């Protein structure tokens, strides 16, 4: 088990000296840091306890001008080690760091009173008492306090014991050591190039393992990279399971990935510049702040007016955070808003990385958002309940790349709209009550109509729909049978030419036009057509493959068992409609791909 512990405390209180004494590693990695004796950027060290537990330390700067760098380290830690010098006692950055840890809800912690060799015992007692009082109203309340000296070694054994207890509390808070339920993700905190090796990134690994050869997305952005090598504590490994991790990647230069980016195969982590969130305390509408999440930071404005002015049933404040630049986020992520000197930081939790827009905001009620918040708190990032509740608020639920589904709460509303508008455009009816793009509405309408026909609420006559009991349309039964036969012939991955198939089943041009007009077949080229159900399946497979890695025609050909002629026609059609986007390395999801497309 690996536990990531972040240091915190005022400048020159001995954080780096203490880590050097505990681990034998100098966390000041920059020449300027060693020359000045002051931590400027985050540093790293590690310690293996007697029971095999590994403590990965993230050493953060204590200077007031470097709080942003401190939050880069604090954004990806499991627990904290607050360091206070016995001669100085709690100072400005002690209080600020404590406030930031509290805003992030970092609970498990250890407090170390350092430099005890430089003061009288009475001073140590008074500093411990002051610290205990400071911790009481925060998330670190009850943390053990240990007196130590990084110079003499006094108290180091007690610190190791306290760290073992801290690791046990982290494991208990996570429900014990269990198999991760989501793919691994590394929030990048360092990027550099190694001559002859290429780009290397470091960060804290969350979720499942990452292995050599994995293909990962860079979020934000649409770039994918391949993992050439994985290192943990300077040693090459086949895979990393958690904690501090270094990845040598192919597919991006050191100038093309940045601190704050996330490398992951997890589809729930998405780039967004607008998120629905809860806040740890009240905050005004249009308040400006610096937003910190993971290792990313950007300017933000809080929206708490109109339907975004939410007070949930439990009294929690919620609203929308608008970001100056996209950040990789998932539901359940913690964040901090820093509002300037003298103002207490505000913590919060991301509920929805794509909150409702348009008419869907009418259903963004305190009760629904409160249920969503409860589901996020109980089920983490990807719980089914969270997706369902998001659908209840938004009216949409993209469970599968093959179709846009509708949330259960909306099915009755849309079904009534479809039934009353059966002789009009069903997709237009859907768009009146659900916030969907036109192509998404068409896909949702097609699936809904199939369900209505299956349960008998609509009757399909050829390319027409009617209500049960209404007169059947006058469709030539011979023509209708020929159309059915042609649709069946085209329901294969490699269909025959359209004219030959139509001639073989006796379907005249009027029947072909009716099939296309009704959306039962899709014609990609004059002689290439698919049954719509087959084309949806092939398009879904292409999008799923492109989500995992750049999709090449050869890979799609092998996956479908067809030939280049068929796959190129499909890929070109998906490119043209914006579902895919062609790049030099292959096809990637395009701007009109379903938002929740996942492998």
């Amino acid at each position: 088990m690996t536990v990531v512990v972040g240091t915190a405390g005022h400048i020159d209180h001995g954080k780096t000296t203490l880590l050097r004494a505990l681990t034998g590693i100098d966390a000041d990695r920059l020449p300027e840091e060693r020359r000045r004796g002051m931590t400027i950027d985050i540093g790293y060290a590690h310690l293996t306890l007697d029971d095999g537990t590994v403590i990965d330390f993230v050493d953060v700067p204590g200077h007031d001008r470097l709080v942003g760098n401190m939050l880069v380290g604090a954004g990806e830690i499991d627990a904290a080690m607050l360091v206070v010098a016995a001669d100085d006692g709690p100072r400005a950055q002690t209080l600020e760091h404590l406030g930031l840890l509290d805003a992030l809800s970092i609970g498990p912690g250890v407090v170390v009173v350092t430099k005890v060799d430089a003061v009288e015992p009475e001073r140590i007692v008074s500093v411990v008492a002051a610290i205990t009082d400071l911790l009481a109203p925060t998330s670190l309340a009850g943390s053990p306090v240990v007196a130590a000296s990084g110079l003499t070694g006094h108290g180091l054994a007690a610190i190791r014991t306290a760290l073992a207890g801290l690791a046990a509390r982290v494991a208990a808070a996570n429900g014990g050591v269990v198999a991760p339920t989501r793919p691994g993700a590394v929030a990048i905190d360092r990027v550099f190039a190694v001559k002859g090796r290429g780009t290397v990134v470091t960060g804290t690994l969350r979720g499942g393992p990452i292995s050599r050869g994995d293909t990962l997305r860079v979020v934000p952005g649409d770039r994918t990279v391949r993992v050439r090598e994985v290192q943990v504590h300077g040693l090459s490994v086949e895979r990393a399971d958690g904690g501090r991790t270094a990845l040598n990647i192919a597919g991006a230069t050191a100038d093309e990935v940045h601190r704050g980016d996330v490398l992951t195969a997890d589809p729930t982590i998405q780039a967004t510049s607008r998120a629905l969130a809860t806040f740890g305390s009240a905050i005004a509408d249009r308040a400006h702040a610096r937003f910190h999440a993971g290792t990313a930071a950007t300017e933000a404005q809080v929206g708490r007016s109109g339907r975004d002015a939410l007070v949930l049933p439990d009294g929690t404040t919620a609203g929308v955070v608008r970001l100056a630049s996209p950040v990789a986020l998932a539901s359940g992520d913690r964040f901090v808003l820093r509002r300037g000197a003298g103002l207490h930081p505000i913590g919060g939790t991301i509920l929805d990385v794509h909150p409702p827009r348009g008419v869907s905001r009418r259903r963004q009620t305190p009760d629904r958002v409160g249920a969503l918040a409860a589901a996020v708190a109980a089920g983490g990032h990807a719980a089914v309940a969270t997706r369902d509740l998001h659908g209840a608020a938004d009216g949409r639920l993209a469970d599968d790349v093959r179709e846009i589904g509708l949330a259960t709460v909306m099915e009755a509303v849309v079904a009534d709209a479809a039934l009353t508008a059966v002789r009009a455009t069903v997709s237009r009816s859907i768009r009146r009550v659900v916030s969907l793009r036109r192509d998404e509405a068409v896909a949702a309408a097609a699936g809904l109509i199939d369900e209505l026909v299956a349960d008998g609420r609509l009757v399909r006559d050829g390319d027409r729909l009617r209500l049960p009991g209404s007169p059947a349309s006058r469709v030539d039964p011979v023509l209708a049978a020929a159309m059915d036969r042609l649709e069946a012939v085209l329901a294969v991955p490699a269909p025959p030419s359209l004219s030959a198939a139509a001639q073989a089943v006796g379907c005249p041009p009027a029947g072909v036009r009716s099939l296309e007009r009704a959306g039962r077949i899709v014609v990609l080229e004059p002689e290439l057509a698919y049954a719509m159900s087959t084309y949806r399946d092939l398009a879904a497979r292409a999008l799923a493959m492109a989500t995992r890695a750049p999709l090449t025609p050869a890979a799609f050909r092998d996956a479908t068992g067809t030939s280049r002629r068929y796959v190129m026609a499909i890929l070109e059609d998906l490119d043209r409609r914006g579902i895919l986007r062609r790049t030099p390395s292959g096809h990637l999801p395009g701007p009109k791909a379903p938002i929740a497309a996942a492998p």
Side-chain angles (χ1 to χ4, degrees):
M1 175 181 175
T2 300
V3 177
V4 181
V5 176
T7 66
H10 196 78
I11 184 173
D12 200 31
H13 275 206
K15 296 185 294 297
T16 305
T17 300
L18 179 65
L19 288 187
R20 189 184 304 117
L22 276 171
T23 68
I25 298 171
D26 189 347
D28 277 347
R29 57 185 174 81
L30 301 177
E32 185 180 356
E33 292 176 322
R34 294 173 179 170
R35 185 175 65 251
R36 296 171 61 183
M38 183 184 82
T39 299
I40 297 172
D41 203 353
I42 46 178
Y44 312 100
H46 58 273
L47 172 68
T48 301
L49 302 177
D50 292 340
D51 64 356
T53 299
V54 176
I55 305 294
D56 278 350
F57 290 103
V58 179
D59 188 28
V60 304
H63 197 285
D64 60 340
R65 296 181 182 177
L66 300 171
V67 171
N69 282 359
M70 178 270 178
L71 278 167
V72 169
E76 290 291 310
I77 63 176
D78 300 308
M81 184 167 72
L82 181 64
V83 178
V84 181
D87 55 350
D88 248 2
R91 295 291 299 276
Q93 264 54 66
T94 308
L95 303 179
E96 184 168 15
H97 286 193
L98 183 58
L100 293 170
L101 292 170
D102 184 49
L104 284 167
S105 294
I106 302 296
V110 171
V111 180
V112 180
V113 178
T114 58
K115 303 185 180 182
V116 297
D117 54 308
V119 299
E120 298 298 324
E122 294 79 7
R123 173 62 179 172
I124 299 173
V125 172
S126 65
V127 171
V128 169
I131 292 170
T132 302
D133 290 342
L134 286 176
L135 297 182
T138 73
S139 58
L140 289 173
S143 297
V145 181
V146 180
S149 169
L151 293 179
T152 68
H154 173 80
L156 295 185
I159 294 175
R160 293 188 182 95
T161 300
L163 289 171
L166 182 148
R169 295 200 302 276
V170 170
N174 293 335
V177 181
V178 297
T181 58
R182 49 189 300 234
V186 172
I188 298 174
D189 51 38
R190 290 178 62 204
V191 182
F192 54 94
V194 177
K195 188 174 182 180
R197 306 289 290 279
T199 304
V200 175
V201 302
T202 69
T204 298
L205 172 58
R206 301 293 183 194
I210 288 180
S211 303
R212 186 165 61 87
D214 283 354
T215 297
L216 305 174
R217 295 184 298 129
V218 181
V219 187
D222 53 14
R223 184 181 301 277
T224 59
V225 296
R226 180 175 56 83
V227 179
R228 285 174 169 165
E229 183 182 2
V230 181
Q231 284 195 4
V232 175
H233 302 155
L235 299 176
S236 291
V237 295
E238 281 299 307
R239 79 174 202 174
D241 293 303
R244 295 295 308 167
T245 304
L247 303 176
N248 177 207
I249 58 174
T253 67
D255 295 329
E256 293 171 332
V257 288
H258 309 91
R259 172 179 284 184
D261 291 347
V262 174
L263 299 185
T264 185
D266 186 350
T268 68
I269 298 176
Q270 299 181 26
T272 183
S273 56
R274 180 176 175 269
L276 179 65
T278 56
F279 306 102
S281 56
I283 186 168
D285 180 43
R286 298 187 182 181
H288 289 268
R290 186 73 173 168
F291 176 92
H292 298 264
T295 60
T298 188
E299 297 302 317
Q301 184 182 61
V302 175
R304 296 208 64 252
S305 62
R307 296 188 183 275
D308 295 332
L310 295 161
V311 178
L312 307 188
D314 65 356
T316 302
T317 300
V320 170
V321 180
R322 295 176 175 86
L323 305 175
S325 57
V327 173
L329 295 171
S331 62
D333 283 354
R334 294 285 305 172
F335 65 88
V336 170
L337 295 172
R338 290 176 59 223
R339 299 175 294 162
L343 295 175
H344 193 75
I346 293 178
T349 302
I350 299 297
L351 299 183
D352 185 357
V353 297
H354 295 294
R357 294 180 181 271
V359 294
S360 292
R361 291 180 69 234
R362 298 173 187 171
R363 289 179 293 281
Q364 186 176 273
T365 64
D367 286 343
R368 284 180 173 140
V369 176
L372 174 58
V376 169
H381 295 266
V384 172
T386 301
R387 297 203 321 270
D388 288 343
L389 286 164
H390 170 230
D394 191 19
R396 60 178 288 150
L397 188 62
D399 280 333
D400 195 293
V401 296
R402 289 171 295 183
E403 59 185 17
I404 298 295
L406 299 177
T408 302
V409 71
M410 291 307 304
E411 283 185 349
V413 176
V414 179
D416 289 342
L419 288 169
T420 58
V422 68
R423 294 189 182 278
T425 304
V426 179
S427 63
R428 187 177 304 164
S429 301
I430 290 177
R431 293 183 75 203
R432 290 195 184 106
V433 293
V434 182
S435 296
L436 294 176
R437 298 193 308 259
R438 186 178 301 276
D439 60 323
E440 294 174 331
V442 170
L448 181 60
I449 288 172
D450 288 343
E451 293 180 9
L452 295 175
V453 171
D455 65 17
R457 286 190 282 172
L458 283 178
V459 176
R460 179 180 275 127
D461 285 331
D463 64 346
R464 296 177 181 272
L465 296 167
R466 61 182 175 86
L467 297 171
S470 62
S473 57
R474 296 180 179 180
V475 178
D476 182 354
V478 175
L479 176 60
M483 291 166 59
D484 290 342
R485 290 194 298 272
L486 179 58
E487 183 180 13
V489 168
L490 300 178
V492 293
S497 70
L498 180 57
S499 60
Q503 184 176 1
V505 301
C507 184
V512 176
R513 290 193 297 270
S514 293
L515 285 171
E516 185 177 11
R517 195 164 52 243
R520 293 171 61 185
I521 67 172
V522 55
V523 180
L524 301 184
E525 297 174 354
E527 286 297 329
L528 178 58
Y530 286 95
M532 180 58 77
S533 58
T534 300
Y535 181 75
R536 283 183 190 159
D537 289 341
L538 291 169
R541 184 179 301 184
L543 182 54
M545 292 177 70
T547 302
R548 291 192 292 267
L551 175 62
T552 63
F556 192 38
R557 177 199 63 204
D558 294 342
T560 58
T562 58
S563 68
R564 183 176 176 83
R565 175 206 170 198
Y566 295 101
V567 302
M568 290 306 298
I570 294 171
L571 294 177
E572 288 172 2
D573 180 63
L574 295 176
D575 289 343
R576 184 168 55 251
R577 294 192 291 122
I579 305 301
L580 294 181
R581 178 176 58 83
R582 186 177 180 180
T583 71
S585 57
H587 296 263
L588 296 172
K592 295 185 179 180
I595 291 173

